[in-house]
Amino acid sequence: MARAMTAYCDHNAGSPVRPEALEALRRALSLGGNPSSVHRAGRAARALMEDAREHLAGAVNAHPENIAFASGATEALHLAIEAARGEARSFLYSAIEHDAVADHAPRAWPGAQAIPVTGAGIVDLAALERMLADAAKPALVAVMLANNETGIVQPIGEVARRVREAGGLLLVDAAQAFGKIPVDVVALDAAYVVVSSHKIGGPPGAGALILAPGAPFRSAQGGGGQERGRRPGTENVPAIAGFGVAVRAPVVVSEFRDAFERALRARWPAIELVGATAPRLPNTSLFVLPHMKAETAVIAFDLAGVCVSAGAACSSGKVRSSRVLEAMGAPHHWCTNAVRASFGWNSTRADVDALLAALERIMARTPELTP
Ligand code: PLP
């Protein structure tokens, strides 16, 4: 992809691989070796993987032995849900969880219930308390640290306190928060925390489940006993090595998102910003076009060389209304017209300018919207 031609503003979908992570991936690929082998090639592969584990542990304040590498956040979330099943008797998850939880929960756990969120996009703590009181104990509770569509950060401290008081187990999906705001698994006070490599500029194909000391673990999958029996199958050492390098990079700052939103507010008051006053990730902007479906807008941005996402999920050419915005009780046009721009480690002022120039053209289609 020629950077000069493309303004990539879709880091929440997947951040380009950082050069140092790509280098680590290449080196590991060329070394080869299976980390379960006892010979020198196997030991070299294992050393790369354990180095990555140490660095990830350092980045999230965990013990390396409590980290199980997986193929990404989706698999790690599913492992956590299985892990808790040996002990938990019920499963509650926030209505704004990623599909990796929200779509999986009803299949994996009949009777799993969605916890409502407020109009501000925050998990409804009073509803959580009621549901915890009614649920079979102990309950597994999944609440994400930050939402992928809106960037809104959840009050995990408040959630964790309630889950702890009810004797439950907390699962925190930190896939979108990691690399953008600090993630400290001790402070989160969760039994399970999940992160993903490709959201932070590591290679796709790696993620991790981080367990609190003593967190219950039941593996539904038999296999070769890799990852202390927590995730069978030969580890993706090259991706894990790249992940281990990406975790050392500094967290993303808000400079470009804020510059974009300042310009947007000044120029087009008709465009609404979702969660503008809520605690949000510093890189994410979800804005609502007054006159155009997100699906059409994403194509228009793309034609202008700008990569953004529709807030609403799109499948086989049909845009569905955003499940997250629906759960917030947002007006219908928010659910269909919300566009997400998200910035990351290689964002530049030129990306912001290209985004604004593309928006200028899109808004010019309905001139009365530009004062
Ligand atoms: N959780 C959140 C909040 C996400 O944003 C994503 C990816 O978009 C996932 C989970 C799934 O991550 P992966 O692609 O690593 O399976």
Side-chain angles (χ1 to χ4, degrees), residues 12-13 72-75 77 98 100 144 146 148 173 175-176 196 198-199 206:
N12 285 13
T74 300
E75 187 188 15
L77 286 162
H98 187 271
M144 65 202 330
N148 42 299
D173 175 357
Q176 216 45 259
S196 178
H198 73 110
K199 304 293 185 195

Side-chain angles (χ1 to χ4, degrees), residues 271-272 274 286-298 301 309-312 319-322 325 331-340 359 369:
I271 298 180
E272 294 161 285
V274 179
L286 186 65
F287 54 95
V288 183
L289 295 171
H291 63 315
M292 193 183 284
K293 295 266 182 288
E295 173 197 38
T296 313
V298 167
F301 276 109
S309 268
V319 174
R320 281 183 286 142
S321 180
S322 160
L325 294 176
H332 179 70
H333 74 286
W334 279 36
C335 302
T336 53
N337 294 16
V339 175
R340 182 188 68 190
L359 198 49
L369 293 174

Side-chain angles (χ1 to χ4, degrees), residues 40-349:
R40 68 193 60 204
R43 292 199 304 276
R46 175 156 299 278
L48 286 178
M49 200 169 72
E50 296 314 321
D51 184 59
R53 203 185 307 274
E54 293 268 342
H55 279 99
L56 175 58
V60 299
N61 192 21
H63 294 291
E65 66 270 23
N66 292 334
I67 292 178
F69 285 119
S71 61
T74 300
E75 187 188 15
L77 286 162
H78 296 178
L79 287 174
I81 292 167
E82 277 313 310
R85 198 191 288 272
E87 192 161 311
R89 295 285 161 268
S90 53
F91 183 20
L92 310 174
Y93 59 97
S94 93
I96 55 168
E97 293 303 290
H98 187 271
D99 277 345
V101 171
D103 183 58
H104 180 67
R107 306 163 195 249
W109 203 306
Q113 282 182 284
I115 312 159
V117 297
T118 66
I122 304 286
V123 64
D124 183 335
L125 294 168
L128 170 65
E129 268 179 30
R130 281 195 303 274
M131 292 172 81
L132 276 169
D134 292 345
K137 293 176 186 44
L140 170 65
V141 178
V143 178
M144 65 202 330
L145 181 48
N147 181 265
N148 42 299
E149 276 182 43
T150 63
I152 294 173
V153 176
Q154 299 300 308
I156 295 296
E158 294 290 309
V159 171
R161 184 167 61 74
R162 286 163 174 81
V163 173
R164 180 171 287 279
E165 282 168 7
L169 295 163
L170 178 61
L171 162 58
V172 173
D173 175 357
Q176 216 45 259
F178 188 41
K180 297 166 192 154
I181 56 174
V183 172
D184 178 322
V185 299
V186 176
L188 287 174
D189 194 16
Y192 313 99
V193 177
V194 164
V195 292
S196 178
S197 167
H198 73 110
K199 304 293 185 195
I200 64 160
L209 167 60
I210 305 154
L211 299 137
F217 197 92
R218 185 192 90 147
S219 177
Q221 301 168 321
Q226 289 90 345
E227 296 297 287
R228 296 171 176 253
R230 293 164 178 152
R231 194 274 190 178
T234 302
E235 298 91 339
N236 185 349
V237 175
I240 291 169
F243 186 23
V245 169
V247 300
R248 293 170 227 182
V251 294
V252 168
V253 291
S254 61
E255 176 186 355
F256 299 114
R257 194 278 307 271
D258 291 350
F260 169 65
E261 291 193 351
R262 265 195 309 276
L264 188 113
R265 279 199 184 92
R267 183 113 180 75
W268 301 288
I271 298 180
E272 294 161 285
L273 277 166
V274 179
T277 56
R280 259 188 314 158
L281 293 177
N283 78 316
T284 306
S285 190
L286 186 65
F287 54 95
V288 183
L289 295 171
H291 63 315
M292 193 183 284
K293 295 266 182 288
E295 173 197 38
T296 313
V298 167
I299 295 166
F301 276 109
D302 189 43
L303 289 172
V306 178
C307 300
V308 291
S309 268
C314 183
S315 65
S316 43
K318 273 180 72 183
V319 174
R320 281 183 286 142
S321 180
S322 160
R323 181 173 55 74
V324 169
L325 294 176
E326 276 178 4
M328 289 166 58
H332 179 70
H333 74 286
W334 279 36
C335 302
T336 53
N337 294 16
V339 175
R340 182 188 68 190
S342 50
F343 302 91
W345 66 270
N346 66 348
S347 294
T348 62
R349 181 65 220 199

